[in-house]
Amino acid sequence: MIKDKESPIRSCHFVYIVALVFGTIIQFSDESEFVVDMSKTSLIHVPKDLPPKTKVLDLSQNNISELHLSDISFLSGLRVLRLSHNRIQGLDISIFKFNHDLEYLDLSHNQLQKISCHPITTTLKHLDLSFNDFDALPICKEFGNLTQLNFLGLSATKLQQLDLLPIAHLHLSCILLDLEDYMKENKKESLQILNTKKLHLVFHPNSFFSVQVDISANSLGCLQLTNIKLNDYNCQVLLKFLSGLTGGPTLLNFTLNHMETTWKCLVKVFQFLWPKPIEYLNIYNLTIVESIDEEVFTYYKTTLKALKIEHITNKVFIFSQTALYTVFSEMNILMLTISDTRFIHMLCPQEPSTFKFLNFTQNSFTDSVFQNCDTLARLETLILQKNELKDLFKTSLMTKDMLSLETLDVSWNSLEYDRSNGNCSWVGSIVVLNLSSNALTDSVFRCLPPRIKVLDLHNNRIRSIPKDVTGLETLQELNLASNSLAHLPGCGIFSSLSILIIDYNSISNPSADFFQSCQKIRSLKVGNNPFQCSCELRDFIQSVGQVSSDVVEGWPESYKCDYPESYKGTPLKDFQVSELSCNTALLIVTIVVPGLVLAVAVTVLCIYLDLPWYLRMVCQWTQTRRRARNVPLEELQRTLQFHAFISYSEHDSAWVKNELIPNLEKEDIRICLHERNFVAGKSIVENIINCIEKSYKSIFVLSPNFVQSEWCHYELYFAHHNLFHEGSNNLILILLEPIPQNTIPDRYHKLRALMAQRTYLEWPKEKNKHGLFWANIRAAFNIKLRLVTENDDVKG
């Protein structure tokens, strides 16, 4: 979120070289046969079986000692050749005469002592002969034809002023000059460098700086010195060496890399460079030795805009901190970076400061830094990453007098906010705030600058955003990644929010209402969360599909189901669930309504066709036939006189005589009736018992009249005691008219039970149903019995 405001003119690290090399690799890496990497394989010579189409060949860090024409002549398309860190002692330039496309040639860190000059392909852009054993600079006059050359690396132990004359007309981007083995002589040597933008000089890493060569460069824009070892005695040697190099008006960027010096000499270097036209001074890997004492430093008017010091090793353990910090705090420049130094403090400038940019990343600053400091009113950007800040409330107090502060980065600290300390006192000008990688919780939303626009809170301990938070109407970009949020927040309190980063949280069911709540959102990053693939998530997936593909970042590769297990790893875009299973109301309507319609239809149909009656009659007829087949043989062989005894009320005699008897007797069914079969002289009870015992079946014609008849009660009583205990197979109940349950006496409990079970044949009123009714009656008598006469019975 917080961008470095330092100059784009960087130290001479030869970034363009890397771009050329890797740009070439990337260009051909899609076809593996074009790239051959045989580095670190202990080769002693160039392999003979290289693919002819090779374009990039890496043979670095081997033991190759010789190069021959036949080694690479067949590689006509070769563009990149790396032979650094081998043991090559001699080089004949003619071996490259067939490599017309060669652009990058690295022969550094070998044992080259001489080269044989020949014409070389003019496509060469990068030629590195540095860190070899040349006495003089290895410059061939043929190099003057390399019009596309950008980088040239050289090494020598002696220098002459016109060594570079053959290439003086070339416009090089950078020259690397290895002077590690440069031999100091009594007479002063000189070297004129023409038309190069960047010059990188490398000295011996373990020797005190003693080079007295006079190097002049006309159009130098960037100067880098590596391996500078100084003390109080040779400090002036370096300053004198720099006099000719730093006087030009075009030199804007000066870098010192791997520098060991005393504090006194370092201050002298600063003082020497202060009036120079240099705008950007960079020091990497600085080691301070011997002592640190207070030094006089005059802050002349300077063109220097930025000082950047990265990685300081302080070998002085007892020193005056004021002497150290004052030199930096009082500098009259715009930008100061002191990172990875483990400074424990930085002083507040004594006078109103010109600083607009301060970067103190990876130090040991505490909450006391810049407290009550009112001289940094021009400061616009303050970076305090990776320090030891702990109290967010004190951090806000630190800013209250920084009236121009717009960007504050206090990430990677141990910041916490305890509301009991009071309300935060941020300066109102802050618009960009980085609080990431701290120990902040939900309460942080109550301690934010009033006009914040960009807020980074990723990698904290936030579980939710309080709903009653106010004052964030100007917030446009919010990063909440790597917290513990369970819900995707809406934009109710973030009315201007356009960018939301909330990946790597605990969000399982993001709300589909988010896009309605956040109308201004133009970038949403909510991937890599434990999504629960369910009906609720389906609505969110549909919402994502309705917005532009540029809005939801990482879609679909970063959005996968985490639960349930059956869907784990499934991309959300492939998760499918039907509308029916997700819509409860629709599901109920789909199931219940058709069921109700079917039930109503069946009911109407049954009522119209009287289907229950038909089913009941068919069932009873089937059961009767089955019981008749299952009658035991010994029972069938009993001596009987009648098929059936009929018990009925006199009030129902008309139906019995006109309907029942005629329909049974025409089927040869012998009926026993009291009026024609009772024996004179016997009691009624005795006649009833005899008739029941001499009949195969007993038919009871049930009706309200039957229940009210006293004699019918007797007949049913005897039938109950003589037949019911043997089972209900010999009993036929015909319901002539409906009988309410409450009209049946309690003592007829068997009849009440049979009536409740509907184990009777109901006489249908419709004539078209009579045929099935009589069929059920006849089915009960589908058996041949050996019947005897009364005389036979008397004889017996």
Side-chain angles (χ1 to χ4, degrees), residues 502-505 525-529 531 553 558-559:
I502 197 169
D503 51 344
Y504 294 101
N505 273 271
K525 192 173 184 180
V526 69
N528 298 296
N529 273 286
F531 295 112
E553 293 191 27
S558 299
Y559 297 75

Side-chain angles (χ1 to χ4, degrees), residues 284-407:
Y284 300 101
N285 302 298
L286 172 65
T287 301
I288 300 176
V289 297
E290 295 186 9
S291 64
I292 297 177
D293 300 310
E294 187 173 347
E295 303 291 338
V296 177
F297 191 93
T298 304
Y299 297 96
Y300 301 112
K301 183 178 181 180
T302 181
T303 59
L304 188 66
K305 295 180 179 179
L307 170 62
K308 183 177 184 180
I309 304 178
E310 288 188 359
H311 190 70
I312 297 179
T313 300
N314 187 5
K315 293 186 176 181
V316 182
F317 302 106
I318 301 176
F319 61 94
S320 169
Q321 295 186 18
T322 303
L324 177 65
Y325 300 144
T326 301
V327 171
F328 297 110
S329 65
E330 301 301 325
M331 286 183 172
N332 55 335
I333 58 178
L334 299 178
M335 293 178 280
L336 174 64
T337 296
I338 301 178
S339 63
D340 192 17
T341 64
R342 291 304 168 190
F343 282 6
I344 62 173
H345 194 61
M346 181 53 61
L347 298 176
C348 177
Q350 298 178 8
E351 301 293 332
S353 176
T354 58
F355 288 132
K356 290 188 175 182
F357 178 94
L358 290 177
N359 183 355
F360 296 110
T361 296
Q362 205 166 343
N363 284 281
S364 299
F365 292 179
T366 64
D367 293 323
S368 63
V369 68
F370 296 136
Q371 292 293 337
N372 300 314
C373 182
D374 59 359
T375 56
L376 293 173
R378 297 182 184 180
L379 187 63
E380 297 176 356
T381 300
L382 175 60
I383 302 176
L384 295 173
Q385 285 185 14
K386 298 182 179 180
N387 279 273
E388 297 181 11
L389 306 179
K390 296 182 178 180
D391 192 339
L392 185 62
F393 174 75
K394 291 182 179 180
T395 301
S396 71
L397 287 178
M398 174 192 69
T399 69
K400 65 183 180 65
D401 293 319
M402 300 177 181
L403 303 180
S404 302
L405 187 64
E406 296 181 354
T407 301

Side-chain angles (χ1 to χ4, degrees), residues 120-305:
I120 190 172
T121 174
T122 58
T123 59
L124 203 61
K125 297 178 181 179
H126 180 102
L127 176 59
D128 195 350
L129 299 171
S130 61
F131 302 99
N132 279 285
D133 298 335
F134 296 112
D135 288 333
L137 291 179
I139 298 295
C140 298
K141 65 178 181 179
E142 288 81 3
F143 289 177
N145 298 323
L146 302 178
T147 56
Q148 299 185 45
L149 193 64
N150 288 319
F151 173 84
L152 178 61
L154 303 170
S155 60
T157 59
K158 298 179 181 179
L159 298 175
Q160 295 184 10
Q161 183 175 7
L162 301 180
D163 280 347
L164 299 178
L165 184 61
I167 60 171
H169 60 286
L170 299 180
H171 297 278
L172 300 177
S173 294
C174 189
I175 292 179
L176 168 62
L177 186 55
D178 163 33
L179 298 177
E180 283 191 0
D181 298 322
Y182 177 74
M183 298 175 61
K184 178 183 176 182
E185 295 183 354
N186 292 331
K187 65 176 183 177
K188 184 177 181 179
E189 295 182 338
S190 63
L191 178 66
Q192 186 175 11
I193 298 177
L194 304 174
N195 297 327
T196 185
K197 296 178 181 179
K198 304 178 180 93
L199 176 62
H200 185 187
L201 303 176
V202 182
F203 304 98
H204 198 283
N206 299 318
S207 300
F208 284 102
F209 186 86
S210 60
V211 176
Q212 299 187 38
V213 63
D214 182 11
I215 300 178
S216 60
N218 293 342
S219 58
L220 196 61
C222 173
L223 174 63
Q224 178 173 345
L225 306 183
T226 297
N227 299 330
I228 307 296
K229 190 174 183 180
L230 302 170
N231 55 27
D232 292 344
Y233 303 102
N234 73 332
C235 188
Q236 195 62 34
V237 177
L238 173 66
L239 300 182
K240 189 174 182 180
F241 175 79
L242 291 176
S243 297
L245 286 171
T246 59
T250 60
L251 182 62
L252 302 179
N253 196 313
F254 181 35
T255 298
L256 296 166
N257 191 22
H258 293 286
M259 181 181 186
E260 179 180 308
T261 179
T262 62
W263 174 248
K264 182 177 182 179
C265 182
L266 180 62
V267 174
K268 284 184 178 180
V269 172
F270 287 155
Q271 193 72 79
F272 171 80
L273 297 174
W274 219 251
K276 300 294 182 179
I278 296 172
E279 295 184 359
Y280 300 94
L281 174 60
N282 310 290
I283 303 177
Y284 300 101
N285 302 298
L286 172 65
T287 301
I288 300 176
V289 297
E290 295 186 9
S291 64
I292 297 177
D293 300 310
E294 187 173 347
E295 303 291 338
V296 177
F297 191 93
T298 304
Y299 297 96
Y300 301 112
K301 183 178 181 180
T302 181
T303 59
L304 188 66
K305 295 180 179 179

